[in-house]
Amino acid sequence: MTHQAPKGTRDFFPPDLAVLRHIETAWRDASIDAGFDEIEGPTFEHLDLYTVKSGEGIVNDLFSFKRSGGDVDYALRPEFTPTLARMAAAKGRSLPLPTKWFGIPGHFRAERPQRGRLREFKQWNVDLLGIDNPSADSEVIATAIQALATLGLTHKDVVVRISHRDVVTKMLLNSGIPKDKLQVALTLLDKREKMSAEVFEEKTKEHGFETKSFTQFDCDVSIEHEELTSLQEELVAWGIQEWCTFDFNIVRGIAYYTGIVFEIHERSGAERAIAGGGRYDNLIEMFGGPSVPAVGFGMGDVVLSLVLKDKGLLKDGAHYMPTPDVFVVSACDEGDEVLSSTIAMLRENGLHARRSYKTTRNVGKLLTEAAKTQAAFAVILGKELEQNMFAVKDMKSGEQVDIPIDHLLSHLTS
RNA sequence: GCGAUCGUAGCUCAGUCGGUAGAGCACCGGGUUGUGAUCCUGGAUGUCGCGGGUUCAAGUCCCGUCGGUCGCCCCA
């Protein structure tokens, strides 16, 4: 092979794409049923859309470029939230509130591929703008759960781990972490699960922290926090409390989150996070729009596919591919003459009609081909033509009848 | 950016001590008997990921590189 696909990208052959569409359909249906409207934005943006929010360091993690001879920096979008905030800001005061948007855009990140992380992927984004109370947080979480449930997952398979930036911050400060070391402590907390207890001990000592500053998050903490109390009630109201748990080990790296944050994980801790999100009440204003509270999440196709595969919830790609209503074969010269017009007639009437391109008269071989496509019916153009009939075989039952040419359509659609 | 590991036919892989490459499974064409099949017959493609080096000789050894997989960093 002289050409390879770029590192970290995927070729989607028909069965592969059928699997992706299966997932996207669950995402889209859940969004639409929950009253979200689909949006899309540019695949690339001005580089500074990302650097103003995340700092110059992010440049290493994304694909950026200038046009030949140009001096404007662009970047392939690594996430959708900045685009969404920009779009919301662009509407200014005409943005209806609440606004409920979702999208399934492609994203690009210049990272080293590994399990669950590729350089190009699809990510479902659901955002609810304009509602500042936890009923909005609950609604977007419920929408995520709806899609996961459609794909066959249950609350025994996955868990929504919910945290709150303010609560975590307060707990760390109360336990004696100095204010100027708060960020370090947050980062350490975020990474705690990935290291052994011993390594974690060492790290905490290195920074002069006490281990119990962090282990306080392990036991069931009853936090007096108005938002979380109210969120708890909402989760019950939405009937999703079994899927959710409060877990203050969840920090999330990004800076723009302002309150509730959450991640969805496989319950045993397999794979990376399936989804992550939270509240970003200042972001739209930061992009020059009105001050609009917002909450949303992103769910990528890569980790989700792995989890579904782990659980045996993804069938072979062929299973998700469209199957023809009818497969037409010709077994004689007279059949060849009417093959095209027969196919054309069926398609004009809205049927998914395929044909064999083989020249063989071997009906057995032709039916093998028909069976392989999972067609509902096979139509054989053969000696029955002498009586102006087609042989029509129901591929499921195996029953075969001769049908007058004029009655073919009504027979197939009845 | 760093590290480990792998790369031989469409797929799964074999290939010994360095001696110019194989198996199985798929797949496909044609033919016969009108029915998802049987039978007959035919079909191959390999720049052994790529490039260099050592050698009389490299799939095999060495170096580099590209790609896959899995970690680290980062994780929106």
Side-chain angles (χ1 to χ4, degrees):
Chain A
M1 294 248 289
T2 49
H3 294 288
Q4 296 172 307
K7 183 198 298 229
T9 63
R10 294 169 287 178
D11 291 329
F12 288 91
F13 293 98
D16 310 315
L17 189 58
V19 173
L20 180 62
R21 293 286 181 254
H22 167 66
I23 290 170
E24 288 177 346
T25 298
W27 286 348
R28 184 169 283 109
D29 289 352
S31 310
I32 290 171
D33 289 351
F36 291 84
D37 297 314
E38 187 162 10
I39 57 167
E40 174 61 291
T43 307
F44 62 96
E45 293 272 10
H46 292 292
L47 177 63
D48 60 16
L49 183 73
Y50 304 112
T51 53
V52 291
K53 184 200 73 189
S54 310
E56 292 294 331
I58 197 176
V59 173
N60 295 324
D61 299 325
L62 40 77
F63 288 103
S64 59
F65 58 94
K66 287 184 170 76
R67 48 172 299 254
S68 173
D71 55 4
V72 178
D73 286 301
Y74 300 100
L76 297 180
R77 67 179 167 211
E79 60 167 323
F80 195 68
T81 308
T83 297
L84 178 130
R86 185 179 60 67
M87 288 169 69
K91 285 282 180 191
R93 307 233 172 269
S94 71
L95 185 74
L97 297 179
T99 282
K100 297 170 73 174
W101 283 342
F102 83 97
I104 308 180
H107 295 290
F108 309 85
R109 295 178 187 173
E111 29 193 16
R112 193 75 199 272
Q114 55 189 287
R115 189 173 180 83
R117 295 177 77 181
L118 296 173
R119 288 184 162 187
E120 181 180 16
F121 56 94
K122 294 275 187 174
Q123 185 171 287
W124 177 36
N125 289 270
V126 173
D127 293 274
L128 205 170
L129 317 180
I131 294 186
D132 65 359
N133 68 69
S135 72
D137 306 62
S138 289
E139 186 169 357
V140 300
I141 291 171
T143 305
I145 289 173
Q146 177 59 51
L148 296 177
T150 301
L151 291 166
L153 293 164
T154 71
H155 70 272
K156 289 178 179 156
D157 298 310
V158 298
V159 58
V160 185
R161 302 164 66 189
I162 302 170
S163 179
H164 196 294
R165 276 282 166 87
D166 295 347
V167 174
V168 175
T169 303
K170 200 171 290 176
M171 285 172 75
L172 287 173
L173 292 175
N174 286 347
S175 75
I177 304 272
K179 213 168 189 175
D180 59 325
K181 288 205 160 182
L182 185 60
Q183 197 51 53
V184 181
L186 283 170
T187 306
L188 192 55
L189 179 64
D190 194 33
K191 291 179 183 168
R192 183 156 75 104
E193 282 182 1
K194 292 187 79 173
M195 46 181 110
S196 67
E198 292 77 27
V199 175
F200 181 72
E201 283 269 358
E202 277 174 41
K203 297 265 184 192
T204 49
K205 278 179 188 149
E206 264 175 45
H207 294 290
F209 300 149
E210 295 196 38
T211 312
K212 67 169 188 286
S213 294
F214 301 94
T215 50
Q216 64 175 327
F217 297 106
D218 291 350
C219 38
D220 273 341
V221 273
S222 50
I223 312 280
E224 287 299 316
H225 192 278
E226 200 184 329
E227 267 182 54
L228 290 184
T229 310
S230 150
L231 178 65
Q232 174 66 35
E233 286 165 11
E234 287 290 341
L235 295 176
V236 172
W238 284 92
I240 54 174
Q241 73 277 16
E242 278 185 314
W243 296 71
C244 301
T245 181
F246 289 111
D247 184 338
F248 300 103
N249 291 295
I250 297 294
V251 177
R252 298 202 55 73
I254 31 177
Y256 57 68
Y257 287 126
T258 52
I260 288 164
V261 292
F262 60 91
E263 292 182 355
I264 305 181
H265 287 259
E266 198 279 332
R267 235 178 226 280
S268 72
E271 311 296 355
R272 296 166 175 280
I274 297 167
R279 202 159 255 292
Y280 49 99
D281 288 343
N282 303 327
L283 195 62
I284 294 167
E285 197 172 9
M286 272 175 59
F287 283 102
S291 173
V292 176
V295 60
F297 69 85
M299 182 185 295
D301 75 293
V302 181
V303 173
L304 179 58
S305 297
L306 289 171
V307 171
L308 291 173
K309 225 172 275 172
D310 293 345
K311 305 274 178 194
L313 292 172
L314 279 188
K315 296 178 187 148
D316 195 69
H319 178 85
Y320 301 112
M321 293 178 63
T323 55
D325 299 309
V326 54
F327 193 92
V328 185
V329 305
S330 163
C332 62
D333 293 350
E334 294 72 27
D336 290 352
E337 284 170 24
V338 297
L339 181 54
S340 294
S341 58
T342 305
I343 287 280
M345 183 275 291
L346 293 168
R347 290 180 185 168
E348 276 165 23
N349 285 282
L351 292 183
H352 174 171
R354 299 193 193 188
R355 53 164 289 187
S356 176
Y357 295 91
K358 293 183 198 296
T359 54
T360 182
R361 302 304 188 203
N362 184 333
V363 175
K365 278 192 181 178
L366 293 168
L367 286 178
T368 303
E369 193 185 352
K372 223 173 273 180
T373 67
Q374 303 278 313
F377 289 95
V379 172
I380 302 163
L381 313 184
K383 64 182 182 223
E384 300 81 358
L385 281 169
E386 291 166 19
Q387 278 81 49
N388 283 319
M389 309 269 263
F390 292 145
V392 179
K393 180 163 187 165
D394 182 324
M395 296 300 282
K396 210 163 203 175
S397 67
E399 277 175 51
Q400 181 173 325
V401 289
D402 290 349
I403 300 290
I405 291 180
D406 294 344
H407 296 170
L408 177 62
L409 189 66
S410 58
H411 179 80
L412 293 176
T413 53
S414 65

